[in-house]
Amino acid sequence: MRLLLAEDETQLSRAVSAVLKHTGYEVDIAANGLEAVEYAQRNAYDCMIFDIMMPVMDGIEALTQIRALGDVTPVIMLTAKAEVEDRIGGLDAGADDYLTKPFAMGELVARIRSATRRRENYTPKVLSIGNVRLDKEQQELKAENSVRLAKKESELMEYLLLNSEKDLTEEEIFRRVWADDPQMDRGIVWIYVSYLKSKLESVSADVSIIGDREGPFRLGKRFAS
Amino acid sequence: MLWYYKNMMESIYGIYKPYLDRIMEQIEGELTAFNEEVKARQGDGIYEHLLARVKDEASMREKCSRRELAQTTENALTVITDSIGLRVITRFIDDIYEIVEFLRGLPGVRIAAEKDYIRHAKPNGYRSYHVILEREVPYEDVRGSRPGRYYIEVQLRTIAMDSWASLEHQLKYKKDITNQKIIVSELKRCADELASCDLSMQTIRNLIREGEGEDER
């Protein structure tokens, strides 16, 4: 799983990231809110941890912008103990949880586990981009026409939709969509991407999946060639 | 031979009936030959099966009335375009488009109209490719021209689309079906699942063929 940590105090961010990496997460570090927004637009994360007080752009503003882009990745805010207002502001801006500084590393890791476990509850039942809608419950992909997707196709489509306009590697997709079947050959990703490519085209979608065989893959607006 | 003469006079197709049969047989033959040629090249034919018919007397008369047209030979051959009808059933979606291109290239053929209900499915889930050909033939037509021009309607669909259409057809002509509403929405869901399956099979065939290409290299 991949995390984004936005924290301007280098010593703290280095220490936290070392522990998280040791726990088995991949961690990207942003030094301020603006960098965090840029990272979030570029990469797919399973959870993001934002400090509130940061130079250039604070954590609440960064979170507001990320949510405005349609990103529903779980976010945990780090707040100073005294600042109740910050906690309220953070939650209202779309944070899923918060932790007051100073905190125990064990608690942060537990909250990350909890946030990523409950990911399902956070994401909406219907996702859309351009003229395309994915109804997760019905496994229905719809634009001008509709088709019914197989379970894995629907899960892959959901992951692509949640991370549209981002490059996703074959490995990232595999680990998310085939988490329950790690023995599966990685080549399955290309086959399912191929299914979705043809299905998007068949419903006359104005988005398509860009990328060939081993990836990376990106769901985005179809450009007139 | 009087009865024969009388029958001829009564036919809504008038003296053009034998031409309709010949035009139908010609295009049927061309499609069969194309199928054999593809089979020799790829091992599998371009279509699974082919049906051709000249619309029978009663249906044509009924269609004229339904469309509020006088039951005349002229209407049957120039306003209504499916006096000659073909249905081509394929295994894979891409085969449909390949056959359409083949039809487009036949001598004397002009596409009078085409509707792609595969990329633009009807709201109830109906999927099929309809094309109306206008073909120049060495026989006289109802306008008195020679060479004459006749319409041929071709419907192309996959096996899955075809079995769906036959099920939907049954629904259309039955009234008072219990749970009508659920059945209509379930049929729509089936159409979307079948479409999805058709696309998956097409994709797998493409992947297999790409793989073959790589082996040869």
Side-chain angles (χ1 to χ4, degrees):
Chain A
M1 280 206 222
R2 192 170 181 184
L3 309 176
L4 176 63
L5 173 65
E7 169 62 71
D8 62 312
E9 291 167 44
T10 17
Q11 277 204 326
L12 180 60
S13 72
R14 226 178 276 158
V16 172
S17 113
V19 176
L20 293 175
K21 279 179 183 160
H22 182 72
T23 316
Y25 294 108
E26 279 177 67
V27 185
D28 290 339
I29 299 175
N32 59 57
L34 189 63
E35 271 189 39
V37 174
E38 287 164 3
Y39 270 109
Q41 276 179 279
R42 212 161 43 231
N43 307 312
Y45 294 102
D46 296 285
C47 184
M48 303 192 270
I49 303 114
F50 290 179
D51 186 19
I52 290 197
M53 291 289 289
M54 284 187 290
V56 189
M57 184 191 288
D58 68 32
I60 293 182
E61 177 56 25
L63 174 59
T64 307
Q65 292 197 10
I66 287 167
R67 289 288 186 246
L69 293 165
D71 194 324
V72 292
T73 307
V75 171
I76 300 171
M77 303 296 280
L78 302 177
T79 72
K81 196 165 193 178
E83 310 293 335
V84 181
E85 287 303 314
D86 280 355
R87 275 177 250 160
I88 296 170
L91 290 170
D92 283 348
D96 302 284
D97 200 358
Y98 68 85
L99 205 52
T100 52
K101 286 180 179 177
F103 52 84
M105 270 315 295
E107 185 174 2
L108 176 63
V109 174
R111 284 183 190 271
I112 292 169
R113 273 201 302 271
S114 153
T116 51
R117 191 165 55 228
R118 284 186 291 146
R119 188 180 65 220
E120 282 303 305
N121 304 337
Y122 294 133
T123 56
K125 295 272 177 285
V126 176
L127 296 165
S128 62
I129 178 179
N131 69 343
V132 175
R133 282 163 55 89
L134 173 72
D135 183 327
K136 284 159 50 190
E137 221 145 78
Q138 301 290 329
Q139 291 174 210
E140 183 189 59
L141 182 71
K142 187 171 183 168
E144 196 191 310
N145 308 318
S146 49
V147 291
R148 294 286 171 144
L149 301 177
K151 184 161 172 284
K152 286 285 179 222
E153 289 175 324
S154 181
E155 287 172 12
L156 171 58
M157 192 63 212
E158 175 187 345
Y159 187 50
L160 290 165
L161 272 161
L162 288 172
N163 296 289
S164 59
E165 306 293 355
K166 291 178 197 170
D167 281 330
L168 301 171
T169 64
E170 183 189 70
E171 187 61 26
E172 277 178 302
I173 293 174
F174 184 82
R175 272 197 271 163
R176 168 65 78 94
V177 181
W178 281 271
D180 55 349
D181 194 5
Q183 300 308 311
M184 179 63 81
D185 186 310
R186 298 286 188 277
I188 194 75
V189 174
W190 171 240
I191 293 177
Y192 274 73
V193 165
S194 302
Y195 290 159
L196 287 181
K197 278 182 177 208
S198 72
K199 284 165 198 186
L200 282 166
E201 203 184 318
S202 83
V203 296
S204 305
D206 60 6
V207 293
S208 60
I209 304 168
I210 300 132
D212 217 342
R213 231 161 239 278
E214 282 137 34
F217 306 106
R218 163 200 290 255
L219 177 70
K221 284 267 173 210
R222 189 190 290 275
F223 294 106
S225 50
Chain B
M1 289 303 279
L2 186 65
W3 63 270
Y4 180 65
Y5 182 68
K6 197 164 164 246
N7 260 0
M8 285 285 288
M9 288 311 289
E10 275 176 2
S11 167
I12 192 166
Y13 298 122
I15 59 165
Y16 306 99
K17 176 73 171 69
Y19 301 148
L20 294 178
D21 291 330
R22 268 183 256 170
I23 296 163
M24 180 188 81
E25 280 157 22
Q26 184 192 351
I27 195 160
E28 204 182 350
E30 286 162 327
L31 277 167
T32 312
F34 180 48
N35 192 45
E36 290 304 318
E37 185 228 313
V38 173
K39 198 185 269 179
R41 190 154 31 94
Q42 296 180 340
D44 253 338
I46 194 81
Y47 61 74
E48 207 274 330
H49 70 271
L50 168 67
L51 301 169
R53 61 103 182 95
V54 170
K55 199 178 194 71
D56 72 43
E57 198 68 36
S59 317
M60 182 53 91
R61 287 186 186 280
E62 189 271 325
K63 189 161 187 173
C64 285
S65 324
R66 186 155 32 99
R67 295 199 26 198
E68 297 179 347
L69 297 166
Q71 295 180 10
T72 64
T73 308
E74 180 141 27
N75 284 338
L77 296 181
T78 64
V79 182
I80 292 177
T81 51
D82 71 341
S83 56
I84 302 170
L86 279 86
R87 186 168 291 157
V88 187
I89 309 303
T90 70
R91 299 176 189 84
F92 297 95
I93 295 173
D94 284 3
D95 294 341
I96 293 173
Y97 292 96
E98 205 174 315
I99 295 169
V100 170
E101 287 320 302
F102 171 78
L103 293 172
R104 214 185 287 280
L106 283 176
V109 162
R110 181 184 78 83
I111 304 277
E114 61 188 321
K115 277 258 160 78
D116 185 347
Y117 293 118
I118 297 170
R119 295 221 171 100
H120 310 281
K122 288 191 182 178
N124 66 354
Y126 178 82
R127 284 170 169 86
S128 188
Y129 198 105
H130 294 189
V131 53
I132 296 169
L133 312 175
E134 188 183 43
R135 187 161 211 187
E136 195 175 277
V137 291
Y139 325 116
E140 187 184 326
D141 66 22
V142 71
R143 304 172 195 89
S145 313
R146 191 172 168 173
R149 281 178 288 135
Y150 284 80
Y151 288 117
I152 305 165
E153 192 174 307
V154 187
Q155 295 184 354
L156 304 107
R157 43 174 95 132
T158 62
I159 297 171
M161 293 173 197
D162 193 50
S163 41
W164 184 91
S166 74
L167 195 55
E168 200 269 342
H169 188 79
Q170 291 177 28
L171 181 76
K172 211 183 280 179
Y173 291 93
K174 275 205 180 119
K175 282 172 192 134
D176 306 324
I177 299 171
T178 43
N179 300 325
Q180 171 101 11
K181 236 180 144 178
I182 301 175
I183 288 179
V184 167
S185 79
E186 282 299 288
L187 260 180
K188 166 75 166 70
R189 186 179 57 78
C190 274
D192 290 356
E193 283 183 8
L194 290 171
S196 192
C197 208
D198 266 343
L199 291 158
S200 297
M201 294 210 298
Q202 178 69 55
T203 307
I204 292 169
R205 186 172 81 163
N206 293 347
L207 290 171
I208 291 172
R209 289 197 175 164
E210 271 171 35
E212 277 174 357
E214 275 164 22
D215 288 346
E216 280 160 25
R217 255 174 258 148

